[in-house]
Amino acid sequence: MEPQSVGAAVGTGAAVRRRLLLVEDEPSLVLTLSDRLVAEGYDVEAAGDGPMALALATGQLFDLILLDVMLPGVSGFDVCRDLRQRGIQVPILMLTARAQVVDRVVGLKLGADDYLTKPFDMMELLARIEALLRRARTPLADALGSYAFGDVVVDFRRAEVARDGRPLQLSALELKLLRYLIENRGKVISRDELLDRVWGYDAAAQTRTVDVHVASLRQKVEPVASRPRFILTVHGLGYKFSG
């Protein structure tokens, strides 16, 4: 089953849309939930089984995972346990048709942040999602550990970057810049903000440091540096990561 990506792209200057991974094997429920979540302003990626969920959750950045317990092959409990064992701390909301207290306890002990019993009211689901997103404080890069875009893979824990399987030599500042852009993907980031958050400079300082480092980073991670696909310039405003 192929993963489904649902949702509109973030427009220039628009608020960052939170990315949700919906792990559910019932197509009608996937469609219903995806349509409503997109309408509420979320981007939704869907997986129909445990292995696909693990592949997506370990290879991409998500703000929250909606995880059904009853999945073919690998249960939601197993997926939750494996993600936590890999150090991925993205909030997990488990969806279960089981009403027994013991099943809820198992999910929470394995690392789930909350649970909701089917059938559930859509408004309650939305409220639970909003509450978990408000409580989440772990930076996305730390929660995920790695991130892939195009043919580039960034391992945040090891501070390593590879392109098409070959190591890339990034300076510490380039890696920090790339990390900040990825963690704020879809958001337009001004040069002043980058100077403050990446370099620690006073934003009043007049410098082309940001542009020079962005150009260098593009040479290393973009397929064609002169026509960037991932690190985009938003003229008059700054930069935006789209990957």
Side-chain angles (χ1 to χ4, degrees):
M1 181 175 179
E2 294 296 323
Q4 306 168 43
S5 181
V6 188
V10 180
T12 300
V16 177
R17 293 170 68 98
R18 299 297 194 110
R19 296 191 72 224
L20 309 183
L21 175 59
L22 172 60
V23 187
E24 168 63 56
D25 66 327
E26 185 180 335
S28 60
L29 186 55
V30 170
L31 182 61
T32 299
L33 291 178
S34 296
D35 285 348
R36 181 58 185 273
L37 291 169
V38 169
E40 294 292 331
Y42 298 105
D43 282 344
V44 181
E45 190 93 6
D49 56 47
M52 185 185 301
L54 286 170
L56 288 171
T58 55
Q60 299 183 33
L61 285 173
F62 292 98
D63 297 291
L64 183 139
I65 298 174
L66 297 170
L67 179 59
D68 186 29
V69 170
M70 301 297 292
L71 295 171
V74 179
S75 75
F77 290 142
D78 292 332
V79 172
C80 181
R81 182 199 60 226
D82 288 353
L83 290 176
R84 294 310 190 222
Q85 287 179 346
R86 298 182 192 192
I88 296 173
Q89 298 303 316
V90 175
I92 295 176
L93 173 57
M94 301 204 78
L95 307 177
T96 175
R98 301 172 172 179
Q100 291 91 340
V101 173
V102 65
D103 290 314
R104 304 173 192 174
V105 171
V106 168
L108 295 173
K109 283 188 174 182
L110 289 173
D113 297 273
D114 200 358
Y115 63 87
L116 195 56
T117 303
K118 297 178 181 179
F120 49 79
D121 182 82
M122 184 64 73
M123 294 305 295
E124 183 177 3
L125 174 64
L126 294 173
R128 299 286 187 97
I129 291 173
E130 291 170 6
L132 287 174
L133 291 174
R134 281 197 304 269
R135 297 205 303 263
R137 295 186 177 89
T138 304
L140 290 176
D142 291 337
L144 182 64
S146 64
Y147 185 75
F149 61 95
D151 57 359
V152 175
V153 177
V154 185
D155 187 325
F156 294 107
R157 295 194 181 95
R158 296 183 178 181
E160 295 175 350
V161 183
R163 181 174 179 182
D164 198 21
R166 294 185 293 272
L168 288 177
Q169 298 303 315
L170 267 62
S171 70
L173 269 174
E174 287 172 340
L175 182 60
K176 190 175 180 182
L177 173 60
L178 180 59
R179 174 186 177 128
Y180 192 77
L181 290 169
I182 289 173
E183 288 190 330
N184 292 276
R185 71 199 185 285
K187 173 186 174 184
V188 178
I189 308 172
S190 69
R191 290 172 176 82
D192 285 348
E193 180 178 345
L194 288 170
L195 283 171
D196 178 49
R197 301 303 297 274
V198 177
W199 278 264
Y201 291 177
D202 185 339
Q206 296 298 315
T207 177
R208 297 286 291 176
T209 296
V210 173
D211 297 331
V212 170
H213 278 78
V214 166
S216 176
L217 191 56
R218 282 173 170 163
Q219 290 288 339
K220 297 176 180 179
V221 304
E222 292 283 359
V224 181
S226 60
R227 298 194 300 274
R229 289 174 46 197
F230 305 111
I231 304 174
L232 308 179
T233 299
V234 182
H235 295 289
L237 297 175
Y239 295 100
K240 179 175 70 171
F241 183 82
S242 177

